[in-house]
Structures are given as structure tokens and as C-alpha cells.
Amino acid sequence: MGAVFFYELQGSPLETTLPMLLDKARGQGWRVLVRSSDANLLARLDDLLWQGPVDAFLPHGLAGGPHDADQPILLGDLPADGFACVMAVGGATVTPDEARALQRACILFDSHDDAKAQARVQWKTLTEAGIAAQYWAQEDGRWVKKAEKPAQG
């Protein structure tokens, strides 16, 4: 059973945090889905990942291409089947069944009221289903674990 890590984007924007987390996930050998229902956000993230440093390139693609199954990182609004990790951005969610099947799920959210409220609902849904969860936020430029709930059941 996997765990869900919540990242409140206070000090670093999504454009900084997502590549860092993708690099860590790829370092684990995980195939990653970056999930969002916002096609514009996914296109912006695709552009961002193509413009990163050559020595830190993260191989990826936008869902809907002929080589989706071969992409180590796929950006789209898809089921989690075939992925070890899902990174939910732009208000996307992860179900308890998906979280159980994954090595890791990451919920990245802005600290504004709507996104934070949605993340709280997601935390409650997942932890009440027995999924282990951690909540991370930034303090003085570094990530600090603010809360943790172990797996139950």
C-alpha cells in the first residue's frame, strides 16, 4: 500500500516543485502520471519540462500520443493503471483505491483558500480509508513535515 504526500505550495511555485518531485520519483524508478483535468495547465507543464536544463531533462509526454505506454512521465487526466506514482495538480484528486495500488501519490496545491479546502477534503477521504498520509509545507525555504497519519487497517 502506498502513501499520499500533500505539498502546500507556499514558498515555491508548482513550476519549481513539480520538477524536483518528478526527479525524485524517477530516481526511485517509478513511472509517473502528472494528473490534471486542466489541459492548459498540462500544456504549460509540458513546455516547462522541455525547457529544463539538459543535464536534468525529465523524459515525458502529453497523453494522447502514439507512445503513451512508453513515457516514463505522462501528463494527462488518466486512470492510475500502469503507474507507480501519481502527482495530482490543479485540483485533481486521487481515490483511495488508486492510492492503495500506487507506490506514492502526491497532491500539490496552492495555499489559497479553495485549493487548501479541497486538499483538506482529500486528506480526510484518504486517511479515513486507511491510507498513510504526510503533509509538507515550506519554512525558511525548506520542506518541513507538518503532519503525518499512519496507514490503518
Side-chain angles (χ1 to χ4, degrees), residues 16-147:
T16 302
T17 305
L18 181 65
M20 177 212 40
L21 292 174
L22 288 171
D23 186 54
K24 289 180 181 270
R26 289 297 303 143
Q28 294 292 319
W30 296 340
R31 184 165 184 245
V32 182
L33 171 65
V34 177
R35 178 186 284 164
S36 177
S37 61
D38 182 341
N40 291 330
L41 174 59
L42 292 173
R44 195 173 87 235
L45 294 173
D46 178 48
D47 287 343
L48 170 80
L49 293 174
W50 279 110
Q51 294 171 20
V54 173
D55 61 336
F57 178 70
L58 295 165
H60 69 282
L62 276 172
H67 305 289
D68 284 1
D70 299 324
Q71 297 292 349
I73 300 170
L74 191 61
L75 288 74
D77 190 13
L78 303 170
D81 301 334
F83 296 93
C85 179
V86 170
M87 297 199 183
V89 299
T93 61
V94 175
T95 69
D97 286 341
E98 287 176 321
R100 284 185 192 96
L102 295 166
Q103 293 292 318
R104 174 87 34 87
C106 299
I107 311 290
L108 288 76
F109 63 98
D110 290 324
S111 55
H112 65 75
D113 291 340
D114 291 343
K116 199 168 191 175
Q118 184 177 358
R120 284 182 176 136
V121 169
Q122 181 86 115
W123 173 279
K124 185 175 189 309
T125 299
L126 293 168
T127 57
E128 285 181 354
I131 309 296
Q134 295 182 11
Y135 166 66
W136 293 81
Q138 283 188 305
E139 284 183 6
D140 301 321
R142 62 185 186 89
W143 289 98
V144 176
K145 188 182 344 176
K146 297 292 202 166

